[in-house]
Amino acid sequence: MTSAPYLEDPRPDARMLPPRAAVRSDAPRMSLNGQWRFELSPTVEEAPAGFADPGFDDAGWAQLPVPAHWQLHGYGKPAYTNTRYPFPIDPPHVPTENPTGSYRRTVAVPADWAGERIVLRFEGVDSCFAVWVNGHEVGTAQGSRLPSEFDVTEVVRPGADNLVAVRVHQWSAGSYLEDQDMWWMSGIFREVSLLARPASGVEDVFVHAGYDDGAGMLRVEAPANARVLVPELGIDVAAGEEVRVEGVQPWSAEVPRLYDVAVVTPAERVELRVGFRTVRISGGLLTVNGNRVLLRGVNRHEFHPDRGRAVTEQDMLDDVLLMKRHNVNAVRTSHYPPHPRFLELCDEYGLYVVDECDLETHGFVHVGWRGNPTDDPTWGDAYEDRMRRMVERDKNHPSVIMWSLGNESWTGRNLERMYRYAKDRDPGRPVHYEHCPDGRWSDVYSRMYASQAETDLIGRREEPARGVDPVQDAARREAPFVLCEYAHAMGNGPGGLTEYQELFEAHPRCQGGFVWEWIDHGLRTRDAQGREFFGYGGDFGEELHDGNFVADGLLFPDRTPSPGLHEFAKVIEPVRIAGTPDGRLRVTNLHEVLDLGHLRFPWAVEEDGVEVESGELDVPHVAAGESVELDLPAKAGGDAETWLTVRAVLAGDEPWAPTGHEIGWGQVRLVERPRGAALPGSGAVALDRVRGVLTELAGLTVDGPRLDAWRAPTDNDRIPRDSAADAWRAIGLHRLRHRVVDVRDEDGGVVVRTRTAPAALDAGFLSTMRWVPLAGGGLLLDVSVQPEGEWPAPIPRLGLVCSLPAELDGVTWYGGGPGEAYPDTRRAARIGRFTSSVDALQTPYVMPQENGRRADVRWAELTGGGGGLRIEALPTGEGDPGTFAFTARRWTSADLDAARHPVDLVPRDRVWLTVDLAHRGIGTASCGPDVLPQHELHAAPVRLRLAMTPA
Ligand code: GAL
């Protein structure tokens, strides 16, 4: 029993006005954003009675900004669940404890609005509300991320102060349809406005602007008395009239050409920016203007670490610019329509959008989909209403190339209603939906987290049948393939992007996809000591939560790009530069429409990481999809290892990035690394002969090295059932013990043999470390590691850990950089010389885990406090590049493993250096395929030779 029956009624309120396009109009509009009087009540019943009356005294109430979530302003707490409803599954009922916010404000309506039709518009209210004007109830609505409008003409008093009162409920029937993997947060979180709607204005407008055979086609649905003006094209036609326009430039994500269009009646002028483009599925491919598109996409939730989903225009612009600067060309608006301004920005800057409806009922999976509203006709109107409100609002955006019915709502009749609505109203856009087992209600074949192997089969149209209907199965097999989610970017990773991209480029049917996801949803908060960190599930006292699964983006919560975003940008670079087997350079243009005329190609030659020559490459015209082979611009001279780096950078300013912005690069090795010979000298090896470890090295007090086979589990190691990390812990890799087998003086050096193994296991590693003093100081280490016994599982690493004085806080290395790199996340690391502090080597994942590894390193120096250590790898023989990887930290792997937030990592009084002989890949097993076989690490013999000298 609730005193507000509308909130448990899924049917849309008939008082809501028909939805229409979001447009810019010259009709009068007042923003109702700003401070509202606010009070939060624990139940609907306890909400202040009579609060909607103009005479109600709210002087004692606090104020809350609109738009905002009340949980981020000290009222209640945010709560995070992935799929589980945080209330009993009892549709359409919701808990009696239903936090209810009462909002009040007055608005002075201009006297000259008298006689106009007046409309109150909400862009987004989570999750359900009722609204009163001057004490009269004007309507209710659900559909948190959808607009709603109410006619308030009868109750508004122009020329006077008017009271607007809104009662917002955290839970409603609508909550069952809004089980997206994100924070549960409530309130009026998008704009509110009051509109004066002129009689015979442009109530709605639907622009159809296609592009075919080199010409545009324009037809605008609008009131019959409206004219359509496109001054730039000399167009002035009546609404509904179809015109063919020769010579228009088409719109695409690469060239987002827009034309200003005005739709005008004597009473109102509406302005739109229109792009001519045609989306079609033909020949089993998704095309825009006839070109196959390759979606280099991301899933975007609206998020800001302080504001939640109440994002500002600047937040949206930041997202768009960051996407464009990292070669992203597509966005899926997971899993609800975004703020309307975001779509304007996508039109303007050029991003393909899959506009997704505000629908997800994933929580029903936990009861075998019993009672799922998707197949329950009593919810049919609610489903169709949601689709309608999205399609009508967003139908004029060229960036929107597909409609999506929603996410993870299983299957049923109500999806058919949504699908039909979209197809009937807007035949010009394909419809997407992933979660029907047989692919019904989708014009594309969409999947999430399909492995690379399965994607390959799909690319060949040889995938196993899905569903039982052979006709449906055949139709699906004909359809283009899109990974609506892949490469789960949680914590360190995602690994395996390259292998996906290769498939997207090899199989025309595989038209790319959308990385899950764009940004970590970590909410800025503080611990008991006042230290700031990004909170995740459980940090706000939730009884049911899904931990840091909410932090799985390519951006950190504050929008700092993570290493995963740098890797993604490199993997999807639209220009690929690579050496050919016969010593030339190939430049491949992977754009959809652009040639390379907008780019310059600076090059540099570096010997041992130091630039010795540079210039600019002359690249001839290369059409989209073509490539060219060129002579190398420089020849090698010296003896040192020498690399040529060629970069593709913007030749001029683009709206999204300045001249010189890099979009791609490639490297060619001109001179191989010489076999460096470290000269043996004489001297003592400062060794703890009991423990078999050095006590002094290069004049520094050291402790180590010891063999290590552990890494602080990443989210991908840790999260899946029967995870890799479970196996490592069961074996005991995090508690290895060392038994010195023998210490022998030999050939002027010392040989230490140590057996390293966990308690309770009969397998181990025998390491042989041969230490020889070097002329000029320091030691030569030749280490080989031999597994013994049967190792029950693959392992994360084989490395040597040594602690060094804390003063060594500067790092310079020659190898892969500047960022972290693992065997399956190393595309963005180029060979060069880099410097960093120890602190800056760390990647602050929202949940601490293995990070910061620098790979393919030839030599590295740690310096500080007047001393230093240089480590140089010396090739051991044929096929050994003579490289290592390292991490350097002020804490141990055990500290990293124990920490829950970066603030838990308190620097100790040493620096721990780990030199890797071998390391496992990262994969994406937190949701999706694990490390690919070629990046797995099995216990096997490894060897490394290092010269360790004073720096
Ligand atoms: C998908 C879902 C996303 C997100 C992701 C895991 O199944 O569609 O919303 O939950 O898994 O992070």
Side-chain angles (χ1 to χ4, degrees), residues 813 816-822 836 840-843 851-857 884-887 916:
W813 72 98
E820 70 181 32
Y822 290 80
S836 170
L841 288 177
Q842 319 307 314
T843 307
N851 73 85
R853 176 179 183 267
R854 299 316 193 263
D856 300 312
V857 177
F884 60 94
F886 74 92
T887 59
D916 278 352

Side-chain angles (χ1 to χ4, degrees), residues 298-353:
V298 292
N299 278 281
R300 174 183 180 268
H301 267 284
E302 297 186 306
F303 188 74
H304 184 277
D306 302 315
R307 295 185 275 279
R309 289 185 289 277
V311 291
T312 62
E313 164 134 17
Q314 187 62 47
D315 300 333
M316 297 182 238
L317 182 60
D318 288 346
D319 279 351
V320 167
L321 295 179
L322 279 163
M323 288 176 191
K324 292 291 290 185
R325 289 175 189 163
H326 291 89
N327 297 329
V328 169
N329 73 352
V331 189
R332 172 175 177 235
T333 70
S334 53
H335 303 296
Y336 42 82
H339 188 289
R341 177 65 184 143
F342 180 73
L343 297 177
E344 291 183 342
L345 294 170
C346 293
D347 294 345
E348 215 172 291
Y349 289 90
L351 287 166
Y352 292 129
V353 176

Side-chain angles (χ1 to χ4, degrees), residues 448-704:
M448 47 174 76
Y449 309 107
S451 68
Q452 290 90 341
E454 190 182 1
T455 301
D456 188 28
L457 283 179
I458 295 170
R460 300 171 194 280
R461 301 191 196 261
E462 289 170 6
E463 70 274 17
R466 282 169 77 83
V468 290
D469 178 347
V471 175
Q472 175 56 31
D473 199 61
R476 184 194 43 71
R477 199 179 297 277
E478 284 304 301
F481 179 65
V482 166
L483 277 163
C484 69
E485 294 178 27
Y486 77 112
H488 197 245
M490 184 178 189
N492 188 336
L497 283 170
T498 304
E499 290 80 1
Y500 278 113
Q501 199 64 24
E502 285 168 0
L503 294 167
F504 302 160
E505 291 174 19
H507 300 303
R509 186 191 190 192
C510 295
Q511 299 202 247
F514 301 84
V515 166
W516 186 268
E517 69 178 304
W518 175 238
I519 185 167
D520 286 342
H521 315 203
L523 289 169
R524 202 188 313 267
T525 184
R526 287 177 188 279
D527 68 6
Q529 287 130 279
R531 295 174 307 179
E532 196 177 281
F533 67 98
F534 294 116
Y536 48 75
D539 286 331
F540 301 93
E542 302 103 297
E543 66 174 16
L544 197 66
H545 67 81
D546 289 296
N548 68 318
F549 208 64
V550 76
D552 53 1
L554 295 170
L555 294 180
F556 291 110
D558 63 1
R559 290 193 159 69
T560 309
S562 76
L565 183 57
H566 295 301
E567 180 76 1
F568 187 47
K570 173 64 178 146
V571 168
I572 60 173
E573 60 190 353
V575 178
R576 191 155 302 141
I577 301 165
T580 66
D582 57 348
R584 305 187 80 209
L585 196 68
R586 180 179 294 115
V587 179
T588 307
N589 180 3
L590 297 163
H591 284 99
E592 188 180 303
V593 292
L594 283 173
D595 61 30
L596 300 182
H598 64 298
L599 301 173
R600 292 193 304 113
F601 293 85
W603 57 263
V605 173
E606 289 174 344
E607 290 181 4
D608 201 21
V610 176
E611 186 174 305
V612 293
E613 207 186 335
S614 66
E616 195 159 316
L617 191 68
D618 225 352
V619 176
H621 176 87
V622 184
E626 302 290 318
S627 68
V628 69
E629 277 192 21
L630 304 167
D631 288 333
L632 296 181
K635 296 270 174 286
D639 298 330
E641 184 182 22
T642 306
W643 285 86
L644 165 71
T645 305
V646 181
R647 306 186 310 126
V649 305
L650 290 178
D653 289 348
E654 294 286 340
W656 45 271
T659 308
H661 168 80
E662 180 181 288
I663 67 155
W665 55 269
Q667 289 189 303
V668 179
R669 179 155 44 190
L670 302 180
V671 179
E672 295 278 328
R673 189 146 174 258
R675 287 281 181 82
L679 290 186
S682 57
V685 177
L687 194 74
D688 173 339
R689 286 185 172 247
V690 175
R691 292 179 183 78
V693 294
L694 300 181
T695 54
E696 191 246 275
L697 175 63
L700 305 165
T701 318
V702 304
D703 180 15

Side-chain angles (χ1 to χ4, degrees), residues 80-83 179-182 299 301 332 334-335 356 360 362 407-408 434-435 448-449 484-485 488-490 516-517 549-552 926-927:
Y80 167 60
T81 60
N82 169 12
T83 56
D179 190 28
Q180 293 93 342
D181 175 5
M182 62 189 191
N299 278 281
H301 267 284
R332 172 175 177 235
S334 53
H335 303 296
E356 187 150 280
E360 175 160 344
H362 207 170
N407 189 54
E408 296 184 317
E434 179 273 341
H435 220 53
M448 47 174 76
Y449 309 107
C484 69
E485 294 178 27
H488 197 245
M490 184 178 189
W516 186 268
E517 69 178 304
F549 208 64
V550 76
D552 53 1
S926 57
C927 186

Side-chain angles (χ1 to χ4, degrees), residues 20 22-29 195-198 202 263 267-272:
R20 58 201 188 95
V23 286
R24 294 178 183 269
S25 155
D26 65 354
R29 174 181 174 278
L195 316 172
R197 299 292 317 141
V202 184
V263 182
E268 185 177 14
R269 180 187 176 91
V270 151
E271 287 178 353
L272 304 107

